[in-house]
Amino acid sequence: MAAVKILRDGAVAILEIDNPPVNASAQPVRQGLLDALVACENDPSVAAIVIAGAGRTFTAGGDITEFDHPPREPHLPDVLDRIEASTKPVVTAWHGTAFGGGCEIGVASHARVIAKEGVIALPEVKLGLIPGAGGTQRLPRLCGPIAALDIITTGRTVSAGEALRLGIVDGVADGDVRQAASDLARSLIGEAPRRTSDRAVAAPAPEAWEEAITRVKKAARGRAAPLAALRLVRAAIDLPFATGRAEERRTFLDLVASDESRALRYVFLAERAAGKLPELAGISAAPIGEVAVIGAGTMGSGIAVAFAEAGYRVTVFETSEVALTAGETRIASLHERSLKSGRLSADEAAAQAARLSYTVDLSSVSRADLVIEAVFEEMAVKKTLFEALAPHVKPAALLASNTSYLDIDIMAAMVSGPERFLGLHFFSPAHVMKLLEIVRGRLTSPATLATALAVARRLGKTAVIAGVCEGFIGNRILAKYRAQCEFMLEEGALPAEIDAALEAFGFAMGPFAVQDLAGLDISWARRKRLAATRNPADRDVPLADRLCEMGRFGQKSGRGWYLYDSGKRQADPEIEAMVRAHAATTGRAQRNFTAPDIQMRVLAAIVNEGAKILEEAIAARPSDIDVVLVNGYGFPRWRGGPMFHADRIGLSDIAALAQAAAERDGPAFALSPHLARLTETGSAFAALPSHPVQS
Ligand code: NAD
């Protein structure tokens, strides 16, 4: 089937892009557009041309798997130059999403109309790229360089209304956008073609331009693509179109081959692969309409909001009226914040509030198709809760725990029908964070998993399936690399040095600053819980316990690893002295850690534990671990995640550091046989096949 069809509306030819599922501007579409254009130019009965998309969207962008191969002709920039050069008027009809190449097709046309609900974007920067088909040169000619710079360097979506305001489109169609485009095209017959590249770029006011540059540089944090986009928009102001276009093409090809873009493309594909399990093919999800959330603390309130936002009816249960009111207030303040930030309109907030109900009556959960608990992190509390729930829940309702660490299988044993039990591990704040670990218990059925994945999709979450173990994928790895950070405190490093090194690596925040943010009491409680089962042969650093004993729980108490007296994080000389004094008592050799020393030691801890997680089938594939670390733990996306990064730099240094940790720090830090094998055979994580997650 042709990827571009020619339809007719009298003298107007409609070139319809038809490349399901999202009309990606892949080679057949480029060839199809070129052929159709030539056919229309040669057909005297065609006086004007409309480019439109079949199905629910104009085009969602390029086919990113093409970037890993040599570019195939015809190249989009050449096709778009042909479109622009057409002597017959060409009008684009945008509907749904017009992203990347889809946006550039419109921008290269002589005029554009967008459907009222349509959105456009140039999101290439999110893949470490820039628009490579004239977007950086033509968009500034339509909407001015400052707006273009913002759109290109953030990759954000632009609504129909904003596109009209900015002068990107000639009109917004209330009804049939194709008809509107066809009418516009007809009205342009006989006029000189309005070529975007012929327009001059309005020079920006120097001050506003300087401000825009500062904004871009700050947000870029050294990433290549936004800075390249900045250079190219400047070129659009200063240079003739053809020169700017050539510069854009060169830059695009350089970026496609860069490590940064490869890593970002890898994560993009890894996120899409994460929730897809071959063993679930053909298993359908059960319908979920009503959800009950048990416990309306930090997590429960965020989870309730996430579900209400996605259109579910939600019942929130708490143990007392006081706790319930506190939960309701917490949820209201989350809505309030979303309203203020513009994330939510007043109408949407009201609609969501109407979907939420609050109760202290446990029998109200009987309506729920899915029950999620987010009560205290204590097995006894969770077990009692599931026992109490048993007589009230529907026999087919899914039962889920949001536990961070605890054993899902022990909880599943408390309910009849343990095949419907699973972990749904949300991240804080649950209505914002995209990551969701779906924990598969020993008896969790494929149908339960399929339903959970469908729920995750509706919530807009990136779901990863994990098996049962202490901390699942993310928190299990976190525990290991945090331990290494604390070990380094005994060997001569200070918290601020470690945080700075990891932030320089690209982590959103250093681990000590994160602990202060999350509250040190959480891991304190966990350490106490695990104290009885701890192997004395494993190295243990008492510093965090000492901080808690001093009432230093982090930001919430004004002090933790750092001081927050003025609201700003500051190193605390008292803590530094305490760290030094403690280190001296350990008898361990003291050394100066360079930033790369710290970064490699942490990477080795992450990768070694990741390899064990793969060995034990807790994760289905290395890329799932990368998705978890990037989306839930601040690992730099542009490095592709720890397993991808390890493959890139080679496994031998990492294995050597993991071996050293094993000898120094005890059996919990043993070298993963999997990592050892891959290193010995010169293989890589990327070469491992995916396997079912088992518990
Ligand atoms: P929290 O202390 O803020 O909230 C717990 C809530 O549960 C309280 O409002 C309490 O009144 C309520 N509660 C206690 N027992 C109950 C019962 N039997 N029935 C109904 N409500 C009850 O705790 P949190 O931080 O929201 O954590 C909740 C769960 O989520 C824990 O299992 C935790 O490990 C997990 N979790 C926390 C985070 C985080 O960042 N805080 C992240 C992921 C998962």
Side-chain angles (χ1 to χ4, degrees), residues 371-426:
V371 181
I372 305 173
E373 70 78 17
V375 304
F376 301 133
E377 182 77 343
E378 280 173 42
M379 186 54 95
V381 177
K382 307 227 189 231
K383 277 169 83 171
T384 311
L385 170 71
F386 282 112
E387 254 171 349
L389 275 172
H392 302 296
V393 292
K394 279 189 203 170
L398 256 56
L399 303 175
S401 170
N402 179 49
T403 179
S404 307
Y405 289 97
L406 301 177
D407 190 334
I408 295 292
D409 289 331
I410 297 180
M411 290 178 234
M414 308 309 294
V415 303
S416 63
E419 69 282 351
R420 58 183 169 142
F421 202 97
L422 77 164
L424 288 178
H425 184 217
F426 288 83

Side-chain angles (χ1 to χ4, degrees), residues 59-279:
T59 146
D63 171 0
I64 80 166
T65 55
E66 276 192 332
F67 296 147
D68 292 327
H69 307 287
R72 286 168 65 203
E73 289 185 340
H75 307 311
L76 191 61
D78 301 332
V79 176
L80 299 196
D81 284 354
R82 265 312 272 280
I83 289 176
E84 193 177 45
S86 166
T87 48
K88 300 178 182 178
V90 183
V91 178
T92 286
W94 276 327
H95 80 290
T97 52
F99 286 178
C103 182
E104 289 178 296
I105 290 172
V107 169
S109 304
H110 302 144
R112 296 139 292 279
V113 186
I114 188 168
K116 204 162 113 229
E117 311 296 339
V119 287
I120 61 169
L122 291 170
E124 288 81 356
V125 71
K126 294 182 181 170
L127 298 177
L129 300 169
I130 46 116
T136 66
Q137 301 305 298
R138 289 194 181 97
L139 190 65
R141 289 174 155 81
L142 291 179
C143 65
I146 291 184
L149 186 66
D150 172 51
I151 292 168
I152 296 168
T153 56
T154 59
R156 70 182 177 85
T157 53
V158 177
S159 67
E162 189 185 1
L164 184 67
R165 239 184 356 268
L166 291 174
I168 297 172
V169 294
D170 299 80
V172 175
D174 261 338
D176 183 350
V177 66
R178 225 181 252 205
Q179 191 56 54
S182 192
D183 294 345
L184 178 59
R186 211 170 278 116
S187 76
L188 295 176
I189 295 170
E191 264 189 33
R194 306 174 181 180
R195 299 198 171 105
T196 310
S197 62
D198 287 346
R199 295 201 195 186
V201 181
E207 237 171 68
W209 179 247
E210 280 310 313
E211 265 172 36
I213 292 181
T214 310
R215 244 190 334 269
V216 170
K217 287 190 173 159
K218 187 161 170 242
R221 294 184 73 201
R223 303 283 62 74
L227 299 177
L230 174 59
R231 272 198 313 279
L232 289 164
V233 173
R234 187 70 238 182
I237 302 170
D238 296 338
L239 303 175
F241 177 81
T243 319
R245 243 282 265 112
E247 186 53 36
E248 179 196 74
R249 186 72 185 155
R250 234 185 341 269
T251 309
F252 179 82
L253 293 174
D254 283 350
L255 288 175
V256 164
S258 70
D259 286 341
E260 201 172 301
S261 177
R262 279 183 205 282
L264 288 166
R265 272 142 49 199
Y266 160 83
V267 177
F268 180 89
L269 294 175
E271 286 171 344
R272 270 138 199 87
K276 299 206 178 84
L277 298 190
E279 67 265 34

Side-chain angles (χ1 to χ4, degrees), residues 341-363:
S341 71
R343 207 175 153 256
L344 206 64
S345 71
D347 284 354
E348 284 160 347
Q352 277 182 39
R355 285 196 281 273
L356 283 153
S357 58
Y358 300 86
T359 183
V360 289
D361 173 10
L362 200 53
S363 67

